Amino acid sequence: MSAIDPRGEWMALTMPQLDFWEEFTLNPGRPLSTVAHCLEFRGAVDADALYRAVSHTAREADILSVRLRIPLGTSLPMQRCDPDLAPLPSLLDLRDHDDPLGEARARMQADIEADLELLDVALAKQWLIRVGCDHYLWYMRGHHIILDGYAMGLLEQRCSQLYTHFLGRGEPGPSFHPFAAFLAEETHYGDSSKFAIDRRYWRDYLGRGTLPVLRKDAEGYGIGGLSAEAALPAAFSQRLRHAADDIGIGWPDLLVLLTGAYLFHHLPALRGGNQSLLPLWLPFMSRWGSVGAFTPAMVVNLLPLWLHVEPDETLGVFLHRQVAALRKQRAHGRFRIEQIAADQGLHQGSRYFFSPLVNVLPFDPPRFEECQVRREVLSSGYGDGFNVTYRGDSNANDLKVDLDADSTLTTTEEFARHRHGLPIFLDHALAPGACDCKVQRLCQSPEP
């Protein structure tokens, strides 16, 4: 049964949604912020249960049915959840093709790269593709104006629970919160004293330096660049967990700060006018303890951490100093970066240059009974400047790191040095006794 109220009222866009809307109007037709995942199933797949689970999830996550429309006499769109736009999965059987998997990948990529429209169209799409006797793909595509990466994971986990239920082996579990409930909570926060406290914090915090800004209609905006996976050292996950336990911080925070220390020394140009501070951009979930924790939507925030390494500072001193700053910042992390930009007087059509960015995604993959499932992120939008993304489960198992860089700002030779040098630095930083070593010495990695 659909969770979408067919009588639902038109609602204003949130600040991040307006940000993506402006990006779209300045770059019409370009799929700059498309998000897409593919789950590959092998084994004893119950196709009927999978179809029912995907369909139920599509109806329950009302954000997937959002329709955008500009009311007469206005310039900005409004949104409402329209049950006619719920992305029920299309069934594709490609087994008659010479290369069914290759054909499926070609179709998914073509869909991701297709010209983009946001007004009065479905903003999400789902396919169930059969490429073999016991081999299926679940393709899910949306746009950042309705979904962030965590929301995609929520949809996958919810579908997993419903799949088990439709097999007759478990309860359906709680439904997602409606998108309107999340919007109401955001309105309440905007009217609260906590909002005013957070605003003062960010005004004072950003007074320490200057953040670079870019134009959304600039030449080359959103053009792809360099991308590669870097090989992590042997037994890296285990060593990372042990080091985090010894220091007394979470392993994702340790990974963020170690990467930040490397970037501080190896990307000095990104420090801008203040050569002592590097703005390290970090995604902030902005969900815990709120309705957003179980609401697929565009909720994640993006905030700058001023990073500084003293010339003779040891790694241990650096980590304890920066983790204290990181924890304090998170207490004010719900305050939107778009609101910060407005408060700082950024002009329309501009936004902050989110580079370098470090993203740690410690999310457990969805589990479907009696199936081997592999998740692939096909598109997560583009990044600015230089980006480091770590993916693994909640225990840091199977960690992988991807590097992405703008080829107009980073040469292929520089990119190769980072791909080689970052893992070496992490290896040195997790060695016994590394916390007593100077950060500068640990960053001196050999050339590839």
Side-chain angles (χ1 to χ4, degrees):
M1 182 177 180
S2 175
I4 306 165
D5 183 358
R7 301 162 300 173
E9 297 181 355
W10 290 93
M11 304 170 288
L13 270 63
T14 64
M15 293 196 79
Q17 288 183 302
L18 286 171
D19 192 57
F20 284 110
W21 169 253
E22 184 181 61
E23 176 190 85
F24 168 73
T25 60
L26 294 173
N27 301 273
R30 296 177 63 193
L32 296 174
S33 295
T34 293
V35 291
H37 284 194
C38 176
L39 264 61
E40 183 176 9
F41 297 80
R42 294 180 184 269
V45 182
D46 187 315
D48 179 65
L50 183 59
Y51 180 85
R52 293 177 66 191
V54 173
S55 299
H56 191 105
T57 302
R59 293 189 183 97
E60 187 179 291
D62 58 357
I63 189 68
L64 298 179
S65 71
V66 157
R67 180 189 295 276
L68 300 182
R69 180 174 292 173
I70 299 178
L72 189 64
T74 65
S75 59
L76 292 177
M78 300 286 282
Q79 61 185 333
R80 67 181 290 266
C81 298
D82 184 341
D84 291 338
L85 295 187
L88 302 183
S90 298
L91 299 175
L92 306 177
D93 191 336
L94 303 182
R95 287 177 293 172
D96 289 340
H97 286 262
D98 292 338
D99 179 8
L101 188 57
E103 175 68 17
R105 290 191 175 280
R107 293 193 188 192
M108 291 186 289
Q109 192 61 36
D111 181 67
I112 291 169
E113 296 174 357
D115 288 348
L116 180 69
E117 179 55 74
L118 295 182
L119 289 177
D120 274 320
V121 297
L123 301 181
K125 177 181 287 186
Q126 299 193 92
W127 294 339
L128 281 178
I129 311 172
R130 191 171 189 180
V131 293
C133 181
D134 297 310
H135 192 183
Y136 291 80
L137 305 177
W138 171 26
Y139 170 69
M140 175 169 48
R141 187 262 294 160
H143 189 274
H144 269 316
I145 204 166
I146 58 171
L147 295 168
D148 57 26
Y150 186 83
M152 298 288 277
L154 279 177
L155 294 169
E156 292 166 355
Q157 295 289 352
R158 180 66 180 135
C159 186
S160 168
Q161 185 176 35
L162 288 168
Y163 179 76
T164 300
H165 170 66
F166 289 129
L167 289 177
R169 301 174 188 173
E171 296 299 319
S175 299
F176 287 131
H177 297 302
F179 182 51
F182 167 72
L183 295 181
E185 188 177 70
E186 286 295 283
T187 300
H188 177 74
Y189 167 69
D191 295 334
S192 70
S193 59
K194 182 65 168 63
F195 179 88
I197 293 170
D198 293 342
R199 170 176 266 167
R200 286 195 297 270
Y201 169 83
W202 285 106
R203 179 196 62 201
D204 296 340
Y205 186 77
L206 293 184
R208 299 172 58 188
T210 302
L211 295 171
V213 175
L214 60 73
R215 292 281 308 175
K216 295 180 184 176
D217 58 354
E219 184 178 355
Y221 183 88
I223 291 179
L226 305 168
S227 181
E229 182 178 323
L232 291 170
F236 181 76
S237 296
Q238 182 180 19
R239 294 168 60 202
L240 177 68
R241 290 194 303 268
H242 289 166
D245 290 342
D246 290 342
I247 298 169
I249 62 177
W251 70 261
D253 287 348
L254 177 57
L255 203 48
V256 163
L257 295 177
L258 289 178
T259 306
Y262 171 87
L263 295 175
F264 181 88
H265 281 278
H266 291 281
L267 296 177
L270 294 180
R271 299 183 210 161
N274 189 338
Q275 289 296 306
S276 66
L277 292 174
L278 175 73
L280 190 69
W281 290 92
L282 306 176
F284 178 74
M285 276 301 143
S286 193
R287 276 180 156 95
W288 313 132
S290 76
V291 169
F294 204 52
T295 306
M298 179 58 209
V299 180
V300 70
N301 203 1
L302 194 59
L303 298 169
L305 175 70
W306 289 125
L307 202 81
H308 174 66
V309 182
E310 297 286 347
D312 294 325
E313 193 169 37
T314 66
L315 179 63
V317 171
F318 163 78
L319 290 172
H320 282 97
R321 178 173 58 79
Q322 288 289 172
V323 80
L326 184 58
R327 287 169 177 164
K328 183 175 182 180
Q329 184 180 106
R330 285 177 178 156
H332 305 279
R334 190 167 183 176
F335 197 79
R336 296 291 320 179
I337 187 61
E338 298 85 9
Q339 184 65 62
I340 291 173
D343 291 349
Q344 294 291 313
L346 263 66
H347 297 298
Q348 188 174 8
S350 299
R351 67 165 173 80
Y352 288 119
F353 179 61
F354 302 133
S355 177
L357 183 146
V358 180
N359 195 8
V360 181
L361 302 172
F363 304 136
D364 294 322
R367 300 185 182 279
F368 289 76
E369 292 204 17
E370 299 181 18
C371 299
Q372 296 80 51
V373 180
R374 186 179 70 89
R375 173 204 285 145
E376 184 177 359
V377 178
L378 300 178
S379 177
S380 56
Y382 70 95
D384 301 337
F386 198 92
N387 299 272
V388 182
T389 303
Y390 297 92
R391 290 186 174 89
D393 68 15
S394 56
N395 291 317
N397 295 314
D398 301 320
L399 268 177
K400 292 178 174 54
V401 56
D402 293 317
L403 304 184
D404 298 278
D406 184 335
S407 56
T408 65
L409 302 175
T410 304
T411 67
T412 54
E413 293 79 9
E414 290 170 333
F415 188 75
R417 284 198 294 271
H418 295 313
R419 185 183 181 189
H420 175 76
L422 176 59
I424 290 178
F425 169 75
L426 294 173
D427 191 39
H428 291 172
L430 295 179
C435 281
D436 297 325
C437 296
K438 294 180 180 178
V439 178
Q440 188 170 8
R441 186 175 72 81
L442 291 169
C443 283
Q444 294 172 348
S445 303
E447 294 294 321

